Amino acid sequence: NTVYVFDKTLYQEAQLRYYIETHMHEALASEEYQLYLQPRMNLHTGHIDGAEALVRWKSPDQGFLSPGEFIPLFEKNRFIVKLDQFMFTSVCGLLRQWLDAGIEPRPLSVNVSQMQFHTPDFVERYIGIKSQYAIPDGLLELEFTESIFFDNVALLSSAVHEFRRAGIKCSIDDFGAGYSSLNVLKALPVSVLKLDGMFFRTAKDDEQANIVIRNIMRMAGELKMATVAEGVETPEQVAFLETTGCDIIQGYVFARPMPAAEFTALLAGEGGHAER
Ligand code: C2E
Ligand code: MG
Ligand code: MG
């Protein structure tokens, strides 16, 4: 007396999961994971102020996969540790390429998963890769989400200090998306605060929200943290953010994530423009 209903969507999801888990290693070997970069724009100068590294999976069988489809799985099966290291190494490789080619390098930020943070040699490994590629100080930034900060403020604080000494900046990613804690701001010497789009995507005339946003920006400024607003989609949001003292914006309104080669071309173009 039980009825089983066949659900095509569930079946397809299970199939994709199976594909991902059986192909993730060989995909790394055959260079199917690609480095995409989303430009950030400095609101004070109007120029590109670096970019965030975002992974894309170009699968010969599944087509183009976005992080939302495979990162949650990789976080469960620990493959994220390998992928994060690959992305960080790719970013160092690209910076080295720019330096060797005489292209003025811009700072690049890379996401770090919670699992990566808990690998025993995490800090040494990342600092080691930076020196292996001889990357000058100030060009690398690591993005940590609030959840990492939450349970390990002391542990993270020491890691942030070590990275800072090694010339690598740290940022808090997705601030304002979850249970943002002021304790995090109080305790961590991070250089950058990234505000999630959800935080400022409020109605223009929501005065209560605007007061909170403006004062978070001011507080970050006094703490010597640069502020990045991400997920900015409309010119109205840009206009509002300009009134809040926000330093940098990242979002579709300015540019979508693009292949690393395209970003390099963009930089070369902007460099040429600046010379004229
Ligand atoms: P995130 O680090 O917060 O990255 C920002 C996400 O917002 C990106 O999604 C980006 O494409 C998207 N985005 C940018 N501008 C806009 C906009 O104007 N509107 C909206 N609605 N979205 C915008 P993406 O590339 O799909 O990445 C999703 C998440 O996956 C990232 O969120 C990050 O948490 C994770 N991720 C991506 N690459 C890596 C990686 O190499 N390692 C790890 N650990 N996580 C990664
Ligand atoms: Mg991020
Ligand atoms: Mg984010």
Side-chain angles (χ1 to χ4, degrees):
N1 55 7
T2 306
V3 177
Y4 292 98
V5 181
F6 178 73
D7 184 324
K8 204 171 170 199
T9 324
L10 279 182
Y11 176 70
Q12 283 166 344
E13 278 172 18
Q15 281 227 306
L16 181 62
R17 262 203 314 276
Y18 179 75
Y19 180 88
I20 289 173
E21 300 217 282
T22 49
H23 290 78
M24 57 190 191
H25 289 284
E26 67 182 61
L28 190 59
S30 50
E31 299 177 5
E32 290 171 26
Y33 300 109
Q34 297 185 354
L35 170 64
Y36 270 56
L37 293 169
Q38 185 176 32
R40 298 173 169 190
M41 190 188 61
N42 189 308
L43 280 178
H44 311 299
T45 65
H47 287 294
I48 297 174
D49 197 318
E52 173 175 10
L54 296 160
V55 67
R56 297 291 181 264
W57 182 352
K58 242 180 206 158
S59 159
D61 312 304
Q62 303 289 335
F64 202 78
L65 297 172
S66 62
E69 294 174 279
F70 53 88
I71 288 207
L73 268 178
F74 290 177
E75 276 167 347
K76 282 200 198 109
N77 65 24
R78 298 192 59 87
F79 187 66
I80 192 67
V81 173
K82 281 236 148 43
L83 186 65
D84 276 356
Q85 290 166 6
F86 165 77
M87 289 295 284
F88 185 70
T89 309
S90 303
V91 157
C92 290
L94 183 65
L95 285 167
R96 175 60 22 227
Q97 194 184 308
W98 291 344
L99 290 159
D100 291 345
I103 298 171
E104 190 197 327
R106 308 295 157 96
L108 297 179
S109 69
V110 190
N111 292 286
V112 177
S113 69
Q114 188 154 8
M115 204 155 273
Q116 185 71 246
F117 179 71
H118 288 290
T119 54
D121 58 349
F122 161 57
V123 177
E124 298 75 35
R125 182 189 293 268
Y126 273 53
I127 293 175
I129 297 172
K130 173 184 179 274
S131 31
Q132 194 189 324
Y133 284 85
I135 306 300
D137 290 356
L139 290 176
L140 289 164
E141 182 187 313
L142 299 178
E143 298 193 3
F144 300 95
T145 55
E146 277 185 76
S147 49
I148 304 186
F149 292 83
F150 250 9
D151 2 291
N152 314 282
V153 174
L155 192 63
L156 193 70
S157 180
S158 84
V160 171
H161 273 295
E162 275 185 75
F163 279 126
R164 177 181 278 219
R165 270 198 298 276
I168 298 176
K169 290 184 192 169
C170 294
S171 63
I172 301 175
D173 198 2
D174 302 340
F175 189 80
Y179 303 98
S180 308
S181 164
L182 291 177
N183 196 36
V184 156
L185 293 185
K186 213 174 75 186
L188 287 170
V190 294
S191 317
V192 183
L193 187 66
K194 295 194 78 177
L195 291 121
D196 194 85
M198 273 168 63
F199 197 60
F200 52 83
R201 232 173 264 148
T202 46
K204 258 205 308 263
D205 47 1
D206 184 342
E207 197 42 34
Q208 184 170 347
N210 292 352
I211 290 170
V212 172
I213 295 163
R214 259 199 301 276
N215 282 285
I216 289 278
M217 298 286 185
R218 214 184 66 189
M219 190 157 64
E222 281 185 31
L223 289 165
K224 308 272 181 291
M225 295 175 188
T227 44
V228 179
E230 44 168 11
V232 185
E233 292 178 349
T234 66
E236 289 75 31
Q237 287 164 359
V238 179
F240 168 68
L241 288 164
E242 274 172 334
T243 70
T244 66
C246 176
D247 299 307
I248 295 165
I249 59 165
Q250 178 185 338
Y252 298 162
V253 73
F254 177 50
R256 289 188 175 251
M258 58 184 79
E262 221 171 280
F263 182 75
T264 303
L266 200 68
L267 279 192
E270 201 185 51
H273 184 75
E275 274 165 24
R276 256 181 270 140

Short mmCIF file of all heavy atoms in Angstrom, two decimals, residues 45-46 51-52 55 72 80 92 143 156-157 175 180 190 199 203 212 219 239 257-258 275:
data_model
loop_
_atom_site.label_atom_id
_atom_site.label_comp_id
_atom_site.label_asym_id
_atom_site.label_seq_id
_atom_site.Cartn_x
_atom_site.Cartn_y
_atom_site.Cartn_z
N THR A 45 38.04 56.44 -8.03
CA THR A 45 38.87 56.72 -9.20
C THR A 45 38.16 56.40 -10.52
O THR A 45 38.56 56.87 -11.58
CB THR A 45 40.17 55.88 -9.18
OG1 THR A 45 39.80 54.49 -9.29
CG2 THR A 45 40.95 56.09 -7.89
N GLY A 46 37.13 55.54 -10.46
CA GLY A 46 36.45 55.12 -11.68
C GLY A 46 37.24 54.08 -12.47
O GLY A 46 36.89 53.76 -13.61
N ALA A 51 40.13 42.22 -9.18
CA ALA A 51 39.05 41.31 -9.56
C ALA A 51 38.97 40.16 -8.58
O ALA A 51 39.91 39.90 -7.83
CB ALA A 51 39.31 40.76 -10.97
N GLU A 52 37.81 39.49 -8.60
CA GLU A 52 37.64 38.28 -7.78
C GLU A 52 37.73 37.06 -8.68
O GLU A 52 37.12 37.03 -9.75
CB GLU A 52 36.28 38.29 -7.06
CG GLU A 52 36.02 36.95 -6.34
CD GLU A 52 34.75 36.93 -5.50
OE1 GLU A 52 33.94 37.87 -5.59
OE2 GLU A 52 34.59 35.95 -4.74
N VAL A 55 35.52 30.19 -9.96
CA VAL A 55 35.76 29.00 -10.77
C VAL A 55 34.57 28.70 -11.68
O VAL A 55 33.42 28.98 -11.33
CB VAL A 55 36.07 27.78 -9.85
CG1 VAL A 55 34.85 27.38 -9.03
CG2 VAL A 55 36.60 26.60 -10.66
N PRO A 72 28.91 22.92 -3.43
CA PRO A 72 28.33 22.28 -2.24
C PRO A 72 28.71 20.79 -2.13
O PRO A 72 28.99 20.30 -1.04
CB PRO A 72 26.83 22.44 -2.47
CG PRO A 72 26.70 23.66 -3.33
CD PRO A 72 27.89 23.61 -4.24
N ILE A 80 36.98 20.24 -2.42
CA ILE A 80 37.13 21.70 -2.43
C ILE A 80 38.53 22.13 -2.02
O ILE A 80 39.05 23.16 -2.48
CB ILE A 80 36.04 22.37 -1.53
CG1 ILE A 80 35.98 23.87 -1.77
CG2 ILE A 80 36.26 22.08 -0.07
CD1 ILE A 80 35.49 24.29 -3.10
N CYS A 92 48.09 33.08 -8.85
CA CYS A 92 49.51 33.46 -8.74
C CYS A 92 50.18 33.35 -10.11
O CYS A 92 50.99 34.21 -10.48
CB CYS A 92 50.22 32.55 -7.73
SG CYS A 92 49.71 32.87 -6.02
N GLU A 143 39.46 35.58 0.52
CA GLU A 143 38.10 35.86 0.99
C GLU A 143 37.61 34.72 1.88
O GLU A 143 37.58 33.57 1.46
CB GLU A 143 37.15 36.01 -0.21
CG GLU A 143 37.51 37.16 -1.12
CD GLU A 143 36.39 37.47 -2.13
OE1 GLU A 143 35.33 36.83 -2.07
OE2 GLU A 143 36.62 38.37 -2.96
N LEU A 156 41.28 32.16 13.52
CA LEU A 156 41.30 32.94 12.29
C LEU A 156 42.14 34.21 12.47
O LEU A 156 42.89 34.60 11.59
CB LEU A 156 39.89 33.30 11.85
CG LEU A 156 39.90 33.82 10.43
CD1 LEU A 156 40.21 32.68 9.48
CD2 LEU A 156 38.61 34.46 10.06
N SER A 157 42.01 34.79 13.63
CA SER A 157 42.76 36.00 13.90
C SER A 157 44.26 35.76 13.74
O SER A 157 44.97 36.58 13.15
CB SER A 157 42.43 36.48 15.31
OG SER A 157 43.13 37.64 15.58
N PHE A 175 29.37 39.66 3.92
CA PHE A 175 28.95 40.30 5.17
C PHE A 175 27.53 40.85 4.98
O PHE A 175 27.24 41.49 3.98
CB PHE A 175 29.91 41.42 5.56
CG PHE A 175 29.66 41.96 6.95
CD1 PHE A 175 30.14 41.27 8.06
CD2 PHE A 175 28.96 43.13 7.15
CE1 PHE A 175 29.90 41.75 9.35
CE2 PHE A 175 28.72 43.62 8.43
CZ PHE A 175 29.19 42.92 9.53
N SER A 180 25.36 38.36 10.55
CA SER A 180 26.58 39.14 10.65
C SER A 180 26.84 39.53 12.10
O SER A 180 25.96 39.99 12.80
CB SER A 180 26.44 40.40 9.83
OG SER A 180 26.03 40.05 8.55
N VAL A 190 41.10 42.26 9.47
CA VAL A 190 41.01 42.08 8.02
C VAL A 190 41.14 43.43 7.30
O VAL A 190 40.90 44.48 7.90
CB VAL A 190 39.69 41.39 7.59
CG1 VAL A 190 39.62 39.97 8.09
CG2 VAL A 190 38.49 42.19 8.04
N PHE A 199 22.34 42.98 1.40
CA PHE A 199 22.43 43.96 2.48
C PHE A 199 22.00 45.36 2.05
O PHE A 199 21.43 46.12 2.83
CB PHE A 199 23.88 43.98 2.98
CG PHE A 199 24.05 44.62 4.33
CD1 PHE A 199 23.39 44.11 5.44
CD2 PHE A 199 24.86 45.72 4.50
CE1 PHE A 199 23.55 44.68 6.68
CE2 PHE A 199 25.03 46.31 5.74
CZ PHE A 199 24.36 45.79 6.83
N ALA A 203 14.84 49.25 -0.49
CA ALA A 203 14.19 50.39 -1.14
C ALA A 203 14.98 51.66 -0.85
O ALA A 203 15.55 51.81 0.23
CB ALA A 203 12.76 50.52 -0.64
N VAL A 212 21.85 52.16 8.69
CA VAL A 212 22.71 51.03 9.06
C VAL A 212 23.84 50.87 8.03
O VAL A 212 25.01 50.74 8.38
CB VAL A 212 21.88 49.72 9.18
CG1 VAL A 212 22.80 48.52 9.37
CG2 VAL A 212 20.90 49.83 10.33
N MET A 219 32.13 52.77 9.80
CA MET A 219 32.84 51.99 10.80
C MET A 219 34.00 51.23 10.15
O MET A 219 35.12 51.23 10.66
CB MET A 219 31.86 51.02 11.45
CG MET A 219 32.40 50.31 12.65
SD MET A 219 31.06 49.75 13.69
CE MET A 219 30.25 48.59 12.65
N ALA A 239 24.45 54.78 -7.40
CA ALA A 239 24.26 56.16 -6.92
C ALA A 239 24.11 56.18 -5.40
O ALA A 239 24.70 57.02 -4.72
CB ALA A 239 23.03 56.78 -7.59
N PRO A 257 31.50 38.14 -14.49
CA PRO A 257 32.74 37.36 -14.47
C PRO A 257 33.13 36.97 -15.90
O PRO A 257 32.25 36.67 -16.71
CB PRO A 257 32.35 36.11 -13.64
CG PRO A 257 31.18 36.54 -12.82
CD PRO A 257 30.43 37.53 -13.66
N MET A 258 34.42 37.01 -16.21
CA MET A 258 34.88 36.74 -17.58
C MET A 258 36.15 35.88 -17.54
O MET A 258 36.84 35.84 -16.52
CB MET A 258 35.18 38.06 -18.30
CG MET A 258 36.23 38.92 -17.59
SD MET A 258 36.46 40.51 -18.40
CE MET A 258 35.04 41.40 -17.80
N GLU A 275 47.13 56.31 -20.57
CA GLU A 275 48.32 56.98 -21.12
C GLU A 275 47.96 58.14 -22.05
O GLU A 275 48.75 59.04 -22.26
CB GLU A 275 49.16 55.96 -21.90
CG GLU A 275 50.13 55.19 -20.98
CD GLU A 275 50.69 53.97 -21.66
OE1 GLU A 275 50.73 53.94 -22.90
OE2 GLU A 275 51.04 53.04 -20.92
#
